[in-house]
Amino acid sequence: MERSLLIELARDKYVERCKQRAFDHLDRGDLKNAVASFVGNMNARPDCELPSYLGTLGALLLTANDAFGWRTLIEGLR
């Protein structure tokens, strides 16, 4: 998707959309795609890029198969 189209949506609305997509995957028990969806969508916008420490924490949670931890991480992001 073209970046200019992504930026037209207000940042807070965009973040909520990213979170909801990830939660949809988590609700289906699909942790891998929840992580891929959330990280990919957040990093698609310059003003939403995740800090590297969150990427590292997310990778650890994925490796541990910790869906609850991922959900908690996503819920806490603004």
Side-chain angles (χ1 to χ4, degrees):
M1 182 177 281
E2 188 177 320
R3 279 192 171 217
S4 63
L5 296 176
L6 297 174
I7 294 173
E8 289 178 15
L9 190 60
R11 185 188 182 284
D12 59 337
K13 299 286 186 199
Y14 183 80
V15 171
E16 287 305 314
R17 179 190 284 178
C18 293
K19 291 167 82 169
Q20 188 55 54
R21 287 178 179 168
F23 291 146
D24 290 345
H25 286 290
L26 287 173
D27 291 344
R28 292 190 302 269
D30 189 357
L31 177 60
K32 183 178 177 182
N33 281 320
V35 172
S37 170
F38 188 71
V39 172
N41 288 327
M42 289 293 287
N43 287 340
R45 267 182 69 148
D47 62 339
C48 294
E49 287 183 44
L50 298 174
S52 62
Y53 70 88
L54 285 180
T56 302
L57 177 58
L60 290 172
L61 292 170
L62 178 60
T63 301
N65 200 32
D66 187 351
F68 178 76
W70 232 145
R71 183 176 292 277
T72 303
L73 178 98
I74 294 169
E75 286 172 349
L77 289 174
R78 301 282 172 238

